[in-house]
């Protein structure tokens, strides 16, 4: 049986949707949301960053970073303070509650990822990884050729 590209890609997207539904049923909502999660991870690794640097590392506009930071501030997970040498710029860092939220999110996601791949043998995991890396490389090389 010859598979069509569309069948493979649609199956992949269907599995992604099923994974989200499974994770929410099994582990509850995967809060923080993906953008918030990445922001917590970046700040967890960096310590503190100015808003412009944070936006760059997240691959979003500074105004979007401002909205994201405001949501995380409301949750008590980040704090903003004025930059000591440039009052127009703010420094963003995790609060203690933000550090705890980041740790919990990492643990939850690690368990979810293990669950997702538990039916695969090590050889199948390697083949899956290699196929995804090949697709990723294609997109990266295509992007750099078009710039």
């Amino acid at each position: 049986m010859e598979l069509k590209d569309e069948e493979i890609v649609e199956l992949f997207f269907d599995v992604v949707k099923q994974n989200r539904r499974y994770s929410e049923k099994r582990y509850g909502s995967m809060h923080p949301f993906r953008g918030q999660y990445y922001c917590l991870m970046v700040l967890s690794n960096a310590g503190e960053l100015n808003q412009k640097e944070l936006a760059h590392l997240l691959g979003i506009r500074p105004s979007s970073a401002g909205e994201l930071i405001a949501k995380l501030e409301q949750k008590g997970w980040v704090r903003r303070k004025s930059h000591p040498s440039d009052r127009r710029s703010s420094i963003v860092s995790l609060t203690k509650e933000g550090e705890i939220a980041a740790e919990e999110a990492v643990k939850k996601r690690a368990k979810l990822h293990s669950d997702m791949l538990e039916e695969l043998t090590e050889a199948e995991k390697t083949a899956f990884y290699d196929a995804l890396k090949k697709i990723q490389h294609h997109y990266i090389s295509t992007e750099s050729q078009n710039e």
Side-chain angles (χ1 to χ4, degrees):
M1 177 177 128
E2 190 172 320
L3 293 171
K4 294 180 181 177
D5 292 347
E6 295 83 14
E7 291 176 273
I8 297 167
V9 173
E10 289 302 323
L11 177 60
F12 175 77
F13 289 133
D14 186 51
V15 169
V16 170
K17 287 179 202 170
Q18 289 173 342
N19 177 261
R20 283 193 187 129
R21 283 194 300 268
Y22 169 84
S23 69
E24 287 185 7
K25 282 181 184 175
R26 182 128 189 218
Y27 301 107
S29 178
M30 288 301 285
H31 289 290
F33 297 106
R34 190 171 57 194
Q36 294 176 8
Y37 170 82
Y38 288 126
C39 186
L40 291 176
M41 295 306 100
V42 167
L43 289 171
S44 179
N45 291 325
E48 62 180 29
L49 294 167
N50 73 39
Q51 187 170 323
K52 191 174 185 178
E53 292 170 325
L54 181 59
H56 174 74
L57 291 172
L58 294 173
I60 60 177
R61 296 181 324 270
S63 60
S64 298
E67 293 172 25
L68 179 59
I69 293 164
K71 289 176 184 173
L72 294 173
E73 276 181 314
Q74 289 174 348
K75 292 180 177 186
W77 292 348
V78 300
R79 73 175 67 82
R80 266 190 267 212
K81 61 182 179 185
S82 294
H83 192 285
S85 61
D86 182 1
R87 292 276 183 223
R88 296 171 297 164
S89 180
S90 57
I91 302 293
V92 183
S93 61
L94 292 178
T95 62
K96 187 65 178 165
E97 294 82 7
E99 291 172 8
I100 292 167
E103 289 173 19
E104 289 174 1
V106 167
K107 287 177 188 173
K108 228 183 212 187
R109 286 175 70 101
K111 179 64 177 135
L112 174 62
H113 295 167
S114 291
D115 288 354
M116 181 180 177
L117 300 176
E118 73 183 346
E119 295 295 320
L120 301 180
T121 66
E122 287 304 313
E124 290 169 329
K125 287 179 188 179
T126 300
F128 185 53
Y129 177 84
D130 290 344
L132 290 173
K133 288 301 280 185
K134 204 179 247 187
I135 293 167
Q136 180 188 47
H137 175 74
H138 166 73
Y139 284 121
I140 291 169
S141 64
T142 302
E143 279 179 16
S144 64
Q145 290 172 3
N146 292 332
E147 290 178 357

